[in-house]
Amino acid sequence: MSTSNAKAPYYFVPGPSKWPVLAGASLLLTMIGASAWVNAVSWGSYVNFAGVFLTLVVLYNWFGDAIAESESGKYSARIDVSYRWSMSWFIFSEVMFFAAFFGALFYARSISMPWLADLDHKVLWPDFSAQWGNAGPAGTVEAFKTMGPFPIPTINTALLLTSGVTLTISHHALRAGHRGTTAFWLAATVLLGAVFMGFQVYEYMHAYSELNLKLTSGIYGSTFFMLTGFHGFHVTMGAIMLSVVLYRVLKGHFTPEQHFAFEGAAWYWHFVDVVWLGLYVVVYWL
């Protein structure tokens, strides 16, 4: 939001928008395709890619509308405060989203596993031990190997921590009015996020082909892929947001005083960093 935009004397309320409905439909299509794909349905990958493409188209147009509103002077200081509260509550909802998955992991690992191995269940499964990462007591899951912290998860941790530093440097440069420095370090942040995702894709390929670790590999496989997969999705969305912000930096849309789009994306990216640190410790080390 530019300085002139901050002086709008009213609270702008946009008209009805088709983008939320289209975003929901495209994300639903994406998940239908992904579900079919992991279950070896022939059309799954095509539907998944179509959903991803449509989601990107929707985001492009939705972001474009918001940018046009901002740059045309429709946003006042009240809108800025509203956006800050909205982004704060959105990140809180994301905290609770991941808390549910971490809670499921805790329950499965610290409550269900010991319960299945207690004295009452020795009659059913005499050889079962409550060691996390096993294939379960019933013998219905194919054998697999667990994922350790080296080398890819540790490399990815270093990448995300470094991206947090580069993003902070970029923010300080923006507040100092150095647009070129801002763009450079912001581009470095996006690049680090892209490299992170490349390593995660390789890790998934390694898990499926060499460790036989799949989404169907019992509670270990389901919690591993749900936690790391949703985090990877959030990294992707964060990188898209930062790419849009980078474009706006290059266009000169921000001033040292007015740049909440940058700040909001930065808040989201730092949240993603923190979630990964929890994943790295709980999923890969413990």
Side-chain angles (χ1 to χ4, degrees), residues 186-198:
L186 187 55
T189 304
V190 174
L191 178 61
L192 288 169
V195 174
F196 173 93
M197 288 307 302

PDB file of all heavy atoms in Angstrom, residues 186-198:
ATOM      1  N   LEU A 186      15.087 -10.777  -1.054  1.00  0.00           N
ATOM      2  CA  LEU A 186      13.784 -11.423  -1.174  1.00  0.00           C
ATOM      3  C   LEU A 186      13.822 -12.521  -2.230  1.00  0.00           C
ATOM      4  O   LEU A 186      13.254 -13.607  -2.038  1.00  0.00           O
ATOM      5  CB  LEU A 186      12.720 -10.383  -1.523  1.00  0.00           C
ATOM      6  CG  LEU A 186      11.270 -10.867  -1.525  1.00  0.00           C
ATOM      7  CD1 LEU A 186      10.900 -11.505  -0.193  1.00  0.00           C
ATOM      8  CD2 LEU A 186      10.335  -9.702  -1.841  1.00  0.00           C
ATOM      9  N   ALA A 187      14.508 -12.267  -3.334  1.00  0.00           N
ATOM     10  CA  ALA A 187      14.679 -13.300  -4.363  1.00  0.00           C
ATOM     11  C   ALA A 187      15.466 -14.484  -3.808  1.00  0.00           C
ATOM     12  O   ALA A 187      15.163 -15.651  -4.125  1.00  0.00           O
ATOM     13  CB  ALA A 187      15.380 -12.705  -5.580  1.00  0.00           C
ATOM     14  N   ALA A 188      16.470 -14.199  -2.975  1.00  0.00           N
ATOM     15  CA  ALA A 188      17.231 -15.280  -2.347  1.00  0.00           C
ATOM     16  C   ALA A 188      16.343 -16.127  -1.452  1.00  0.00           C
ATOM     17  O   ALA A 188      16.473 -17.359  -1.395  1.00  0.00           O
ATOM     18  CB  ALA A 188      18.390 -14.693  -1.540  1.00  0.00           C
ATOM     19  N   THR A 189      15.399 -15.489  -0.759  1.00  0.00           N
ATOM     20  CA  THR A 189      14.468 -16.224   0.101  1.00  0.00           C
ATOM     21  C   THR A 189      13.591 -17.161  -0.720  1.00  0.00           C
ATOM     22  O   THR A 189      13.390 -18.327  -0.358  1.00  0.00           O
ATOM     23  CB  THR A 189      13.586 -15.232   0.882  1.00  0.00           C
ATOM     24  OG1 THR A 189      14.413 -14.332   1.619  1.00  0.00           O
ATOM     25  CG2 THR A 189      12.670 -15.972   1.838  1.00  0.00           C
ATOM     26  N   VAL A 190      13.050 -16.654  -1.823  1.00  0.00           N
ATOM     27  CA  VAL A 190      12.211 -17.483  -2.699  1.00  0.00           C
ATOM     28  C   VAL A 190      13.017 -18.651  -3.252  1.00  0.00           C
ATOM     29  O   VAL A 190      12.535 -19.799  -3.313  1.00  0.00           O
ATOM     30  CB  VAL A 190      11.621 -16.638  -3.835  1.00  0.00           C
ATOM     31  CG1 VAL A 190      10.864 -17.516  -4.823  1.00  0.00           C
ATOM     32  CG2 VAL A 190      10.700 -15.552  -3.273  1.00  0.00           C
ATOM     33  N   LEU A 191      14.260 -18.395  -3.645  1.00  0.00           N
ATOM     34  CA  LEU A 191      15.115 -19.447  -4.183  1.00  0.00           C
ATOM     35  C   LEU A 191      15.375 -20.529  -3.137  1.00  0.00           C
ATOM     36  O   LEU A 191      15.320 -21.731  -3.446  1.00  0.00           O
ATOM     37  CB  LEU A 191      16.430 -18.852  -4.672  1.00  0.00           C
ATOM     38  CG  LEU A 191      17.455 -19.843  -5.235  1.00  0.00           C
ATOM     39  CD1 LEU A 191      16.886 -20.571  -6.450  1.00  0.00           C
ATOM     40  CD2 LEU A 191      18.751 -19.123  -5.612  1.00  0.00           C
ATOM     41  N   LEU A 192      15.649 -20.124  -1.911  1.00  0.00           N
ATOM     42  CA  LEU A 192      15.890 -21.093  -0.841  1.00  0.00           C
ATOM     43  C   LEU A 192      14.641 -21.940  -0.607  1.00  0.00           C
ATOM     44  O   LEU A 192      14.739 -23.157  -0.375  1.00  0.00           O
ATOM     45  CB  LEU A 192      16.290 -20.374   0.443  1.00  0.00           C
ATOM     46  CG  LEU A 192      17.695 -19.759   0.455  1.00  0.00           C
ATOM     47  CD1 LEU A 192      17.869 -18.844   1.666  1.00  0.00           C
ATOM     48  CD2 LEU A 192      18.761 -20.856   0.459  1.00  0.00           C
ATOM     49  N   GLY A 193      13.471 -21.321  -0.674  1.00  0.00           N
ATOM     50  CA  GLY A 193      12.228 -22.080  -0.529  1.00  0.00           C
ATOM     51  C   GLY A 193      12.043 -23.080  -1.656  1.00  0.00           C
ATOM     52  O   GLY A 193      11.598 -24.215  -1.433  1.00  0.00           O
ATOM     53  N   ALA A 194      12.395 -22.687  -2.874  1.00  0.00           N
ATOM     54  CA  ALA A 194      12.280 -23.595  -4.016  1.00  0.00           C
ATOM     55  C   ALA A 194      13.237 -24.770  -3.884  1.00  0.00           C
ATOM     56  O   ALA A 194      12.883 -25.923  -4.186  1.00  0.00           O
ATOM     57  CB  ALA A 194      12.547 -22.838  -5.315  1.00  0.00           C
ATOM     58  N   VAL A 195      14.451 -24.513  -3.424  1.00  0.00           N
ATOM     59  CA  VAL A 195      15.420 -25.591  -3.212  1.00  0.00           C
ATOM     60  C   VAL A 195      14.920 -26.540  -2.119  1.00  0.00           C
ATOM     61  O   VAL A 195      15.050 -27.773  -2.226  1.00  0.00           O
ATOM     62  CB  VAL A 195      16.801 -25.018  -2.850  1.00  0.00           C
ATOM     63  CG1 VAL A 195      17.772 -26.137  -2.490  1.00  0.00           C
ATOM     64  CG2 VAL A 195      17.350 -24.197  -4.010  1.00  0.00           C
ATOM     65  N   PHE A 196      14.343 -25.980  -1.067  1.00  0.00           N
ATOM     66  CA  PHE A 196      13.750 -26.798  -0.004  1.00  0.00           C
ATOM     67  C   PHE A 196      12.733 -27.775  -0.589  1.00  0.00           C
ATOM     68  O   PHE A 196      12.747 -28.968  -0.273  1.00  0.00           O
ATOM     69  CB  PHE A 196      13.092 -25.897   1.044  1.00  0.00           C
ATOM     70  CG  PHE A 196      12.319 -26.637   2.096  1.00  0.00           C
ATOM     71  CD1 PHE A 196      12.912 -26.992   3.296  1.00  0.00           C
ATOM     72  CD2 PHE A 196      10.981 -26.973   1.889  1.00  0.00           C
ATOM     73  CE1 PHE A 196      12.195 -27.683   4.272  1.00  0.00           C
ATOM     74  CE2 PHE A 196      10.256 -27.662   2.848  1.00  0.00           C
ATOM     75  CZ  PHE A 196      10.862 -28.011   4.046  1.00  0.00           C
ATOM     76  N   MET A 197      11.832 -27.269  -1.426  1.00  0.00           N
ATOM     77  CA  MET A 197      10.803 -28.124  -2.012  1.00  0.00           C
ATOM     78  C   MET A 197      11.404 -29.163  -2.936  1.00  0.00           C
ATOM     79  O   MET A 197      10.923 -30.304  -3.006  1.00  0.00           O
ATOM     80  CB  MET A 197       9.780 -27.276  -2.759  1.00  0.00           C
ATOM     81  CG  MET A 197       8.868 -26.474  -1.845  1.00  0.00           C
ATOM     82  SD  MET A 197       8.070 -27.514  -0.592  1.00  0.00           S
ATOM     83  CE  MET A 197       7.214 -28.704  -1.631  1.00  0.00           C
ATOM     84  N   GLY A 198      12.459 -28.805  -3.661  1.00  0.00           N
ATOM     85  CA  GLY A 198      13.125 -29.786  -4.504  1.00  0.00           C
ATOM     86  C   GLY A 198      13.690 -30.936  -3.693  1.00  0.00           C
ATOM     87  O   GLY A 198      13.549 -32.116  -4.069  1.00  0.00           O
TER      88      GLY A 198
END
